[in-house]
Amino acid sequence: MTVKDKVILVTGANRGIGLNILQRLDIDGYTVIGTSRSDDGADLISQQIKSSNGIGLKMDVTDQDSINSAISKIQDGFGTIYGLVNNAGITEDNLLMRMSDEQWLSVIETNLTSLYRVTKSIVKDMMKARQGRIINVGSIVGLMGNAGQSNYSASKSGLLGFTKSLARELSSRNINVNSISPGFIDTDMTNSLSNEQIDKLTKNIPLGRIAESSEVSSVVSFLLSQDSSYITGENINVNGGLYM
């Protein structure tokens, strides 16, 4: 297969890291499909795709019917999905004593249960094709925890176990499964922080700065390429040395 023949699905691709991943893979020459839970987000994704014949699609990763509809459109219009980047995620931060059931469940549903739903919906065709790549975007918080984010941390820790277990299940079919755990990234969230907050954030990072989104998307690009063909079941930290 040529790079252009490889269809890559990126969830949560309308902003932040997901959008940067989409743009990088588009430049790499893949046929890129990005998803958002809103029509406006899907339209934005379509506008960002320049070089491939990919599109943006509306897909709610917490709704199996929405997933089925989007996957069917991709398969009918573009063929078997070669690569899946599970990036969709949310935060609902609160101390555990103040956290509502809704805050807990919404984060687990979006960040963790979506891995099960979306991946299961496409993995059968990957197995038939006997090739594929699955990349799950986690977080440093899943490794080291963070006060006020017990729900988010639990979801990203679960992502790591899901990745390793699935890698063992699919390796015989030439499907590689890996995860990436970014640290602090230059996104809309960090742009709203003051200089004092940024200084406090970076003082414990050995490289002394927060990362650019492109430094995450370049790792995704590598894991989709043939250069990573002997890597599976791994988690790659992209955090400037904050967690070693």
Side-chain angles (χ1 to χ4, degrees):
M1 297 177 70
T2 65
V3 171
K4 188 176 181 180
D5 292 328
K6 294 177 178 177
V7 179
I8 312 297
L9 172 60
V10 182
T11 67
N14 58 303
R15 60 186 177 86
I17 293 173
L19 179 57
N20 196 271
I21 291 171
L22 177 99
Q23 292 169 327
R24 171 58 190 265
L25 300 183
D26 183 37
I27 292 171
D28 287 347
Y30 294 102
T31 294
V32 186
I33 315 296
T35 72
S36 169
R37 67 193 310 172
S38 71
D39 289 321
D40 288 343
D43 290 341
L44 172 65
I45 292 168
S46 293
Q47 294 168 17
Q48 294 297 321
I49 297 173
K50 306 298 183 183
S51 61
S52 82
N53 62 343
I55 57 171
L57 286 176
K58 180 180 179 180
M59 183 175 81
D60 183 348
V61 297
T62 68
D63 183 333
Q64 189 63 58
D65 288 339
S66 178
I67 293 169
N68 292 344
S69 176
I71 297 300
S72 293
K73 289 177 182 177
I74 295 169
Q75 292 171 337
D76 291 344
F78 300 92
T80 299
I81 296 169
Y82 172 81
L84 168 63
V85 182
N86 281 309
N87 172 73
I90 61 170
T91 58
E92 289 283 353
D93 298 347
N94 213 338
L95 296 175
L96 182 63
M97 291 300 294
R98 299 174 183 171
M99 186 174 292
S100 67
D101 288 353
E102 183 180 355
Q103 286 177 313
W104 173 269
L105 292 171
S106 64
V107 169
I108 297 300
E109 279 285 302
T110 303
N111 298 4
L112 183 58
T113 307
S114 67
L115 298 179
Y116 162 78
R117 288 196 176 107
V118 177
T119 305
K120 187 177 180 181
S121 297
I122 70 167
V123 78
K124 185 176 181 180
D125 282 351
M126 274 189 182
M127 292 176 71
K128 287 180 179 179
R130 300 190 71 86
Q131 63 176 359
R133 300 291 171 89
I134 298 170
I135 302 166
N136 301 317
V137 180
S139 169
I140 188 174
V141 176
L143 296 163
M144 62 186 293
N146 194 34
Q149 290 192 308
S150 59
N151 50 2
Y152 186 75
S153 180
S155 71
K156 295 304 184 180
S157 294
L159 177 147
L160 299 176
F162 178 89
T163 297
K164 292 180 180 296
S165 297
L166 192 62
R168 291 184 180 275
E169 292 182 19
L170 301 181
S171 59
S172 64
R173 298 299 182 100
N174 194 34
I175 300 170
N176 296 32
V177 187
N178 294 288
S179 62
I180 300 171
S181 290
F184 295 107
I185 309 298
D186 186 11
T187 61
D188 293 342
M189 181 185 72
T190 53
N191 287 339
S192 66
L193 300 177
S194 67
N195 290 335
E196 182 181 356
Q197 289 172 314
I198 293 292
D199 290 341
K200 184 177 180 180
L201 201 63
T202 58
K203 71 176 183 179
N204 293 320
I205 301 175
L207 287 183
R209 62 178 178 85
I210 59 178
E212 300 291 333
S213 294
S214 60
E215 292 175 298
V216 177
S217 60
S218 63
V219 179
V220 174
S221 176
F222 166 69
L223 289 174
L224 285 171
S225 74
Q226 287 304 112
D227 292 336
S228 67
S229 59
Y230 203 58
I231 300 174
T232 195
E234 290 296 328
N235 177 64
I236 299 180
N237 290 314
V238 187
N239 56 50
L242 179 58
Y243 182 85
M244 296 187 184

